[in-house]
Amino acid sequence: GCILNGKLYPFGEIERTENCHRCSCSRDEIRCCSLYHTPVNYDKKRCKVVFNKESCNYDVVEKDDPSKECFVYSSV
């Protein structure tokens, strides 16, 4: 298998690692890509980005009240 961040994964396709990556493990190498996108277009004065390991995604929430989500603008 392949070792990634101290954890052994079997050869083949790995749908989701502990750190939210999708990987392909072979005898020669392990190739991974992230399952999440980092938001960039939001009100940075009022909001902050918090990583949600359950959903493998970033939540953009208000700094003063993290229970409230902030609007993220699409980057077109």
Coordinates of all heavy atoms in Angstrom, one line a residue:
G1 N 0.8 -1.2 0.0 CA 0.0 0.0 0.0 C 0.9 1.3 0.0 O 2.1 1.2 -0.2
C2 N 0.2 2.4 0.3 CA 0.9 3.7 0.3 C 0.7 4.3 1.7 O -0.4 4.2 2.3 CB 0.3 4.6 -0.8 SG 0.5 4.0 -2.5
I3 N 1.7 5.0 2.1 CA 1.6 5.7 3.4 C 1.5 7.2 3.1 O 2.2 7.8 2.3 CB 2.8 5.5 4.3 CG1 2.9 4.0 4.7 CG2 2.8 6.4 5.5 CD1 4.1 3.6 5.5
L4 N 0.4 7.8 3.6 CA 0.1 9.2 3.5 C -0.2 9.8 4.9 O -1.1 9.3 5.6 CB -1.1 9.4 2.5 CG -1.5 10.9 2.3 CD1 -0.4 11.6 1.5 CD2 -2.8 10.9 1.5
N5 N 0.6 10.8 5.3 CA 0.4 11.4 6.6 C 0.4 10.3 7.7 O -0.3 10.4 8.7 CB -0.8 12.2 6.7 CG -0.8 13.4 5.7 OD1 0.3 14.0 5.5 ND2 -1.9 13.8 5.2
G6 N 1.3 9.3 7.6 CA 1.5 8.3 8.6 C 0.4 7.2 8.6 O 0.4 6.4 9.5
K7 N -0.5 7.2 7.7 CA -1.5 6.2 7.6 C -1.4 5.4 6.3 O -1.1 5.9 5.3 CB -2.9 6.9 7.6 CG -4.0 5.8 7.6 CD -5.4 6.4 7.8 CE -6.4 5.3 7.8 NZ -7.7 5.7 8.0
L8 N -1.5 4.1 6.5 CA -1.4 3.1 5.4 C -2.7 3.0 4.6 O -3.7 2.7 5.2 CB -0.9 1.8 5.9 CG -0.7 0.7 4.9 CD1 0.4 1.0 3.9 CD2 -0.4 -0.6 5.5
Y9 N -2.6 3.2 3.3 CA -3.8 3.0 2.4 C -3.5 1.9 1.5 O -2.4 1.7 1.0 CB -4.1 4.3 1.7 CG -4.6 5.4 2.5 CD1 -3.7 6.4 3.1 CD2 -5.9 5.5 2.9 CE1 -4.2 7.4 3.9 CE2 -6.4 6.6 3.7 CZ -5.5 7.5 4.2 OH -6.0 8.5 5.0
P10 N -4.5 1.1 1.0 CA -4.3 0.0 0.1 C -4.1 0.5 -1.3 O -4.4 1.7 -1.7 CB -5.7 -0.7 0.2 CG -6.7 0.3 0.5 CD -5.9 1.3 1.4
F11 N -3.5 -0.3 -2.1 CA -3.3 0.0 -3.5 C -4.6 0.2 -4.2 O -5.6 -0.4 -3.8 CB -2.6 -1.1 -4.3 CG -1.1 -1.3 -3.9 CD1 -0.6 -2.5 -3.4 CD2 -0.2 -0.2 -4.1 CE1 0.7 -2.6 -3.1 CE2 1.1 -0.3 -3.7 CZ 1.6 -1.5 -3.2
G12 N -4.7 1.1 -5.2 CA -5.9 1.3 -5.9 C -6.4 2.7 -5.6 O -5.7 3.6 -5.2
E13 N -7.7 2.9 -5.9 CA -8.3 4.2 -5.7 C -8.8 4.4 -4.3 O -9.4 3.5 -3.7 CB -9.6 4.4 -6.6 CG -9.2 4.3 -8.1 CD -8.2 5.4 -8.5 OE1 -8.5 6.6 -8.2 OE2 -7.3 5.1 -9.3
I14 N -8.5 5.6 -3.7 CA -8.9 5.9 -2.4 C -9.9 7.1 -2.5 O -9.5 8.2 -2.9 CB -7.7 6.3 -1.5 CG1 -6.7 5.2 -1.5 CG2 -8.2 6.7 -0.1 CD1 -5.3 5.7 -1.3
E15 N -11.2 6.9 -2.2 CA -12.2 7.9 -2.4 C -12.0 9.1 -1.5 O -12.3 10.2 -2.0 CB -13.6 7.3 -2.2 CG -14.1 6.3 -3.2 CD -14.3 7.0 -4.6 OE1 -14.9 8.1 -4.6 OE2 -13.8 6.5 -5.6
R16 N -11.6 8.9 -0.3 CA -11.5 10.0 0.7 C -10.5 9.6 1.8 O -10.8 8.7 2.5 CB -12.8 10.4 1.2 CG -12.8 11.5 2.2 CD -14.2 11.8 2.8 NE -14.1 12.6 3.9 CZ -15.1 13.1 4.6 NH1 -16.3 12.9 4.2 NH2 -14.9 13.9 5.7
T17 N -9.4 10.4 1.9 CA -8.5 10.2 3.0 C -9.0 11.0 4.2 O -9.9 11.8 4.2 CB -7.1 10.7 2.6 OG1 -7.1 12.1 2.5 CG2 -6.6 10.0 1.3
E18 N -8.3 10.8 5.3 CA -8.6 11.6 6.6 C -8.5 13.1 6.4 O -9.2 13.8 7.0 CB -7.7 11.1 7.7 CG -8.0 9.8 8.3 CD -7.1 9.4 9.4 OE1 -6.1 10.1 9.7 OE2 -7.3 8.4 10.1
N19 N -7.6 13.5 5.4 CA -7.4 14.9 5.2 C -8.1 15.4 4.0 O -7.7 16.4 3.4 CB -5.9 15.2 5.1 CG -5.2 15.0 6.4 OD1 -5.8 15.2 7.5 ND2 -4.0 14.5 6.3
C20 N -9.2 14.7 3.6 CA -10.1 15.2 2.5 C -9.4 15.2 1.1 O -9.5 16.3 0.4 CB -10.7 16.5 2.9 SG -11.8 16.4 4.3
H21 N -8.7 14.2 0.8 CA -8.1 14.1 -0.6 C -8.6 12.8 -1.2 O -9.0 11.8 -0.5 CB -6.6 14.0 -0.5 CG -6.0 15.3 -0.1 ND1 -5.9 15.8 1.2 CD2 -5.5 16.3 -0.9 CE1 -5.3 16.9 1.2 NE2 -5.1 17.3 -0.1
R22 N -8.7 12.8 -2.5 CA -8.9 11.6 -3.3 C -7.6 11.2 -3.9 O -6.9 12.0 -4.4 CB -9.9 11.8 -4.4 CG -10.1 10.6 -5.3 CD -11.2 10.9 -6.4 NE -12.5 10.9 -5.7 CZ -13.4 11.8 -6.0 NH1 -13.2 12.7 -6.8 NH2 -14.6 11.7 -5.4
C23 N -7.2 9.9 -3.7 CA -5.9 9.5 -4.2 C -5.9 8.2 -5.0 O -6.9 7.4 -5.0 CB -5.0 9.2 -2.9 SG -4.7 10.6 -1.9
S24 N -4.8 8.0 -5.7 CA -4.6 6.8 -6.5 C -3.3 6.3 -6.0 O -2.3 6.9 -6.2 CB -4.6 7.1 -8.0 OG -4.3 6.0 -8.7
C25 N -3.3 5.1 -5.5 CA -2.1 4.5 -4.9 C -1.6 3.3 -5.8 O -2.4 2.3 -6.0 CB -2.4 4.0 -3.5 SG -1.2 3.0 -2.7
S26 N -0.4 3.4 -6.3 CA 0.2 2.2 -7.0 C 1.5 1.9 -6.4 O 2.0 2.5 -5.4 CB 0.4 2.7 -8.5 OG 1.5 3.6 -8.6
R27 N 2.2 0.8 -6.9 CA 3.5 0.4 -6.3 C 4.5 1.5 -6.5 O 5.5 1.5 -5.7 CB 3.9 -0.9 -7.0 CG 3.0 -2.1 -6.7 CD 3.7 -3.4 -7.1 NE 2.7 -4.5 -7.0 CZ 2.4 -5.1 -5.8 NH1 3.0 -4.6 -4.7 NH2 1.6 -6.1 -5.8
D28 N 4.4 2.3 -7.5 CA 5.4 3.3 -7.8 C 5.2 4.7 -7.2 O 6.1 5.4 -6.9 CB 5.5 3.5 -9.3 CG 5.9 2.2 -10.0 OD1 6.7 1.5 -9.5 OD2 5.4 2.0 -11.1
E29 N 3.9 5.1 -7.0 CA 3.6 6.4 -6.5 C 2.2 6.5 -5.9 O 1.4 5.6 -6.1 CB 3.7 7.4 -7.6 CG 2.7 7.2 -8.7 CD 2.8 8.2 -9.9 OE1 3.6 9.2 -9.8 OE2 2.1 8.0 -10.9
I30 N 2.0 7.6 -5.2 CA 0.6 8.0 -4.8 C 0.3 9.4 -5.3 O 1.2 10.3 -5.2 CB 0.4 7.9 -3.2 CG1 -1.0 8.2 -2.9 CG2 1.4 8.8 -2.5 CD1 -1.4 7.8 -1.4
R31 N -0.8 9.5 -6.0 CA -1.2 10.8 -6.5 C -2.5 11.2 -5.9 O -3.4 10.4 -5.8 CB -1.4 10.7 -8.1 CG -0.1 10.5 -8.8 CD -0.3 10.4 -10.3 NE -1.1 9.1 -10.4 CZ -1.8 8.8 -11.5 NH1 -1.8 9.6 -12.5 NH2 -2.4 7.6 -11.6
C32 N -2.6 12.5 -5.4 CA -3.8 12.9 -4.7 C -4.2 14.3 -5.2 O -3.4 15.1 -5.7 CB -3.5 13.0 -3.2 SG -3.0 11.5 -2.4
C33 N -5.5 14.5 -5.0 CA -6.0 15.9 -5.3 C -7.1 16.2 -4.2 O -7.6 15.2 -3.6 CB -6.7 16.0 -6.7 SG -8.1 14.9 -6.9
S34 N -7.2 17.4 -3.9 CA -8.1 17.8 -2.8 C -9.6 17.7 -3.2 O -9.9 17.8 -4.4 CB -7.8 19.2 -2.3 OG -8.1 20.1 -3.3
L35 N -10.4 17.4 -2.2 CA -11.9 17.3 -2.5 C -12.6 18.6 -2.2 O -13.8 18.7 -2.2 CB -12.5 16.2 -1.6 CG -12.1 14.8 -1.9 CD1 -12.5 13.8 -0.8 CD2 -12.6 14.4 -3.3
Y36 N -11.9 19.7 -1.9 CA -12.5 21.0 -1.5 C -11.9 22.1 -2.3 O -10.8 22.0 -2.9 CB -12.2 21.2 0.0 CG -10.8 21.1 0.4 CD1 -9.9 22.2 0.3 CD2 -10.3 19.9 0.9 CE1 -8.6 22.0 0.7 CE2 -9.0 19.7 1.3 CZ -8.1 20.8 1.2 OH -6.8 20.7 1.5
H37 N -12.6 23.2 -2.3 CA -12.2 24.4 -3.0 C -12.1 25.5 -1.9 O -12.9 25.6 -1.0 CB -13.2 24.9 -4.0 CG -13.3 23.9 -5.1 ND1 -12.4 23.7 -6.1 CD2 -14.3 23.0 -5.4 CE1 -12.8 22.8 -6.9 NE2 -14.0 22.3 -6.5
T38 N -11.1 26.4 -2.0 CA -10.9 27.4 -1.0 C -11.7 28.7 -1.5 O -11.4 29.2 -2.6 CB -9.4 27.8 -0.8 OG1 -8.8 26.6 -0.5 CG2 -9.2 28.8 0.3
P39 N -12.6 29.2 -0.7 CA -13.4 30.4 -1.1 C -12.5 31.6 -1.1 O -11.6 31.7 -0.2 CB -14.5 30.5 -0.1 CG -14.1 29.6 1.0 CD -13.1 28.6 0.5
V40 N -12.6 32.5 -2.0 CA -11.8 33.7 -2.1 C -12.6 35.0 -2.2 O -12.2 36.0 -1.7 CB -10.8 33.7 -3.2 CG1 -9.7 32.6 -3.0 CG2 -11.4 33.4 -4.6
N41 N -13.8 34.9 -2.7 CA -14.6 36.1 -2.9 C -15.7 36.2 -1.9 O -16.8 35.7 -2.1 CB -15.3 36.1 -4.3 CG -14.2 36.3 -5.4 OD1 -13.2 37.0 -5.2 ND2 -14.4 35.6 -6.5
Y42 N -15.4 36.8 -0.7 CA -16.4 37.0 0.3 C -15.9 38.3 1.1 O -14.8 38.8 0.9 CB -16.4 35.8 1.3 CG -15.1 35.4 1.9 CD1 -14.8 35.9 3.2 CD2 -14.2 34.6 1.3 CE1 -13.6 35.7 3.8 CE2 -13.0 34.3 1.9 CZ -12.7 34.9 3.2 OH -11.5 34.6 3.8
D43 N -16.8 38.7 2.0 CA -16.5 39.9 2.8 C -15.5 39.6 3.9 O -15.8 39.1 4.9 CB -17.8 40.4 3.4 CG -17.6 41.7 4.2 OD1 -16.5 42.1 4.5 OD2 -18.6 42.3 4.5
K44 N -14.2 39.9 3.6 CA -13.1 39.5 4.5 C -13.1 40.3 5.8 O -12.5 39.8 6.7 CB -11.8 39.6 3.7 CG -11.7 38.5 2.6 CD -10.4 38.7 1.8 CE -10.3 37.6 0.7 NZ -11.3 37.6 -0.3
K45 N -13.7 41.4 5.8 CA -13.7 42.2 7.0 C -14.7 41.7 8.0 O -14.5 41.7 9.2 CB -14.1 43.7 6.7 CG -13.0 44.5 6.0 CD -13.4 45.9 5.7 CE -12.4 46.6 5.0 NZ -12.8 47.9 4.6
R46 N -15.8 41.2 7.5 CA -16.9 40.7 8.3 C -16.9 39.2 8.6 O -17.5 38.6 9.5 CB -18.2 41.1 7.7 CG -19.5 41.0 8.6 CD -20.7 41.6 7.9 NE -21.0 41.0 6.7 CZ -21.8 39.9 6.6 NH1 -22.4 39.4 7.6 NH2 -22.1 39.4 5.4
C47 N -16.3 38.4 7.6 CA -16.4 37.0 7.7 C -15.0 36.3 7.7 O -14.0 36.9 7.5 CB -17.1 36.5 6.4 SG -18.7 37.3 6.2
K48 N -15.0 35.0 8.1 CA -13.8 34.2 8.1 C -14.1 32.8 7.5 O -15.3 32.4 7.4 CB -13.3 34.1 9.5 CG -14.2 33.3 10.5 CD -13.6 33.2 11.9 CE -14.6 32.4 12.8 NZ -14.0 32.2 14.1
V49 N -13.1 32.1 7.1 CA -13.2 30.8 6.5 C -12.8 29.8 7.6 O -11.8 29.9 8.2 CB -12.2 30.7 5.3 CG1 -12.2 29.3 4.7 CG2 -12.6 31.7 4.2
V50 N -13.6 28.7 7.7 CA -13.4 27.7 8.7 C -13.5 26.3 7.9 O -14.5 26.1 7.2 CB -14.4 27.7 9.8 CG1 -14.2 26.6 10.8 CG2 -14.4 29.0 10.5
F51 N -12.5 25.4 8.1 CA -12.6 24.1 7.4 C -13.5 23.2 8.2 O -13.4 23.0 9.4 CB -11.2 23.5 7.3 CG -11.1 22.3 6.4 CD1 -11.3 22.5 5.0 CD2 -10.9 21.1 6.9 CE1 -11.3 21.4 4.2 CE2 -10.9 20.0 6.1 CZ -11.1 20.1 4.7
N52 N -14.4 22.5 7.4 CA -15.3 21.6 8.0 C -14.9 20.2 7.5 O -15.0 19.8 6.4 CB -16.7 21.9 7.4 CG -17.8 21.0 8.0 OD1 -17.5 19.8 8.4 ND2 -19.0 21.5 8.1
K53 N -14.2 19.4 8.4 CA -13.7 18.1 8.1 C -14.8 17.1 7.8 O -14.5 16.1 7.1 CB -12.8 17.7 9.2 CG -11.6 16.8 8.7 CD -10.6 16.6 9.8 CE -9.4 15.8 9.2 NZ -8.4 15.6 10.2
E54 N -16.0 17.3 8.3 CA -17.1 16.4 8.1 C -17.5 16.4 6.6 O -17.7 15.4 6.0 CB -18.3 16.7 9.0 CG -18.0 16.4 10.4 CD -17.8 14.9 10.7 OE1 -18.6 14.1 10.2 OE2 -16.8 14.6 11.4
S55 N -17.6 17.6 6.1 CA -18.1 17.8 4.7 C -16.9 17.9 3.7 O -17.2 18.0 2.5 CB -19.0 19.0 4.6 OG -18.3 20.2 4.9
C56 N -15.7 18.0 4.2 CA -14.5 18.3 3.4 C -14.7 19.5 2.6 O -14.5 19.6 1.3 CB -14.2 17.1 2.4 SG -13.5 15.7 3.3
N57 N -15.1 20.6 3.2 CA -15.4 21.8 2.6 C -15.1 23.0 3.5 O -15.0 22.8 4.7 CB -16.8 21.9 2.1 CG -16.9 22.6 0.8 OD1 -16.1 23.3 0.3 ND2 -18.1 22.4 0.1
Y58 N -15.0 24.2 3.0 CA -14.8 25.4 3.8 C -16.1 26.0 4.0 O -16.9 26.1 3.1 CB -13.8 26.4 3.1 CG -12.4 26.0 3.3 CD1 -11.7 25.4 2.2 CD2 -11.7 26.3 4.4 CE1 -10.4 25.1 2.3 CE2 -10.3 25.9 4.5 CZ -9.7 25.3 3.5 OH -8.4 25.0 3.6
D59 N -16.4 26.5 5.2 CA -17.6 27.3 5.6 C -17.1 28.7 5.7 O -16.0 28.9 6.3 CB -18.2 26.8 6.9 CG -18.8 25.4 6.7 OD1 -19.2 25.0 5.6 OD2 -18.8 24.7 7.8
V60 N -17.9 29.6 5.2 CA -17.6 31.0 5.4 C -18.6 31.6 6.3 O -19.8 31.6 6.0 CB -17.6 31.8 4.0 CG1 -17.2 33.3 4.3 CG2 -16.6 31.2 3.1
V61 N -18.2 32.0 7.5 CA -19.1 32.4 8.6 C -18.7 33.8 9.1 O -17.6 34.3 8.9 CB -19.1 31.4 9.8 CG1 -19.6 30.0 9.3 CG2 -17.7 31.3 10.3
E62 N -19.7 34.4 9.8 CA -19.4 35.7 10.4 C -18.4 35.6 11.5 O -18.5 34.7 12.3 CB -20.7 36.4 10.9 CG -21.6 36.8 9.8 CD -22.9 37.5 10.4 OE1 -22.9 37.8 11.6 OE2 -23.8 37.7 9.5
K63 N -17.5 36.6 11.6 CA -16.5 36.5 12.7 C -17.1 36.7 14.0 O -16.7 36.1 15.0 CB -15.4 37.7 12.4 CG -14.5 37.4 11.3 CD -13.5 38.6 11.1 CE -12.6 38.4 9.9 NZ -11.8 39.5 9.7
D64 N -18.1 37.6 14.1 CA -18.8 37.9 15.4 C -19.8 36.8 15.8 O -20.1 36.7 17.0 CB -19.5 39.3 15.3 CG -18.5 40.4 15.1 OD1 -17.3 40.3 15.5 OD2 -18.9 41.5 14.6
D65 N -20.3 36.1 14.8 CA -21.3 35.0 15.1 C -21.1 33.9 14.1 O -21.8 33.8 13.1 CB -22.7 35.6 15.0 CG -23.8 34.6 15.4 OD1 -23.4 33.4 15.7 OD2 -25.0 34.9 15.5
P66 N -20.2 32.9 14.4 CA -19.9 31.8 13.5 C -21.1 30.9 13.2 O -21.0 30.1 12.3 CB -18.8 31.0 14.3 CG -18.2 32.0 15.2 CD -19.4 32.9 15.6
S67 N -22.2 31.1 13.9 CA -23.4 30.3 13.5 C -24.1 30.8 12.3 O -25.0 30.2 11.7 CB -24.4 30.3 14.7 OG -25.0 31.5 14.9
K68 N -23.7 32.0 11.8 CA -24.3 32.6 10.6 C -23.3 32.5 9.5 O -22.2 32.9 9.6 CB -24.6 34.1 10.9 CG -25.7 34.3 11.9 CD -26.0 35.8 12.1 CE -27.1 36.0 13.2 NZ -27.3 37.4 13.4
E69 N -23.9 32.0 8.3 CA -23.0 31.9 7.1 C -23.0 33.2 6.4 O -23.9 34.0 6.5 CB -23.6 30.8 6.2 CG -23.4 29.4 6.7 CD -23.7 28.4 5.6 OE1 -23.3 28.6 4.4 OE2 -24.4 27.4 6.0
C70 N -21.9 33.4 5.7 CA -21.7 34.6 4.8 C -21.9 34.2 3.4 O -21.6 33.0 3.0 CB -20.3 35.1 5.0 SG -20.0 35.9 6.6
F71 N -22.2 35.2 2.6 CA -22.4 34.9 1.1 C -21.0 34.9 0.5 O -20.2 35.7 0.7 CB -23.2 36.1 0.5 CG -23.5 35.9 -0.9 CD1 -24.5 35.0 -1.3 CD2 -22.8 36.6 -1.9 CE1 -24.8 34.8 -2.7 CE2 -23.1 36.4 -3.2 CZ -24.0 35.5 -3.6
V72 N -20.8 33.9 -0.4 CA -19.6 33.7 -1.2 C -20.0 34.0 -2.6 O -20.9 33.4 -3.2 CB -19.0 32.3 -1.0 CG1 -17.8 32.2 -1.9 CG2 -18.7 32.0 0.4
Y73 N -19.3 35.0 -3.2 CA -19.5 35.3 -4.6 C -18.8 34.4 -5.5 O -17.7 33.9 -5.2 CB -19.0 36.8 -4.9 CG -19.5 37.8 -3.9 CD1 -18.7 38.1 -2.8 CD2 -20.7 38.4 -4.1 CE1 -19.2 39.0 -1.9 CE2 -21.1 39.3 -3.2 CZ -20.4 39.6 -2.1 OH -20.8 40.6 -1.2
S74 N -19.5 34.0 -6.6 CA -18.8 33.1 -7.6 C -17.8 33.9 -8.3 O -17.9 35.1 -8.6 CB -19.8 32.5 -8.5 OG -20.4 33.5 -9.3
S75 N -16.7 33.2 -8.7 CA -15.6 33.9 -9.4 C -15.8 33.6 -10.9 O -15.4 32.6 -11.4 CB -14.3 33.4 -8.9 OG -14.2 32.0 -9.0
V76 N -16.4 34.5 -11.6 CA -16.7 34.4 -13.0 C -15.7 35.2 -13.8 O -15.3 36.2 -13.5 CB -18.1 34.8 -13.4 CG1 -18.4 34.7 -14.9 CG2 -19.1 34.0 -12.6

